[in-house]
Amino acid sequence: MAVPPALSRTIASVSSRNGSSEGTAVPVLPAVVGTEDRITPPTAQRRMARRAGSTIVETPAGHVSMLAAPDVVAGVIVAAAESVG
C-alpha cells in the first residue's frame, strides 16, 4: 500500500526530529489558540504549539476558532501560504 504524500512528509519530519538522517524538513505553521476554549485548555494549546516550534496567534475564541474568528484564521493561513512560496 502506498503512503500518501502528506503522511510521508509527516513521517519524514518526525524522523528528522528524532535524529534520523532520512527525514526531510517541512515548514512549521503558526498555531491559533482560542483563549476561551473550554475543551482544549489554552495552556495545553500553547504548550503543544511551543513543542512544535510554531508561532502562536491568540484570539478570544472557543474551540472552533475558525467559525468564531474567521478573519484571524484566514490571515494566519494566508501568511503561512505566502511564507512557503
Side-chain angles (χ1 to χ4, degrees), residues 10-11 24 27 30 40 42 46 48 50-51 54 60-61 63 70-71 73 79 83:
T10 301
I11 292 169
T24 57
T40 306
R46 288 183 200 100
M48 290 184 277
R50 281 191 300 271
R51 186 168 184 219
S54 297
H63 192 67
D71 293 341
V73 175
S83 75

Side-chain angles (χ1 to χ4, degrees), residues 29-37 40-42 44-46 48-50 54-78 80:
L29 302 176
V32 177
V33 173
T35 59
E36 298 175 13
D37 193 335
T40 306
Q45 294 178 54
R46 288 183 200 100
M48 290 184 277
R50 281 191 300 271
S54 297
T55 56
I56 298 170
V57 176
E58 294 193 6
T59 185
H63 192 67
V64 190
S65 55
M66 68 285 286
L67 295 179
D71 293 341
V72 172
V73 175
V76 167
I77 293 169
V78 168

Side-chain angles (χ1 to χ4, degrees), residues 3-34:
V3 177
L7 181 57
S8 178
R9 286 190 303 274
T10 301
I11 292 169
S13 174
V14 170
S15 296
S16 176
R17 280 185 266 165
N18 290 330
S20 171
S21 61
E22 297 176 22
T24 57
V26 294
V28 175
L29 302 176
V32 177
V33 173

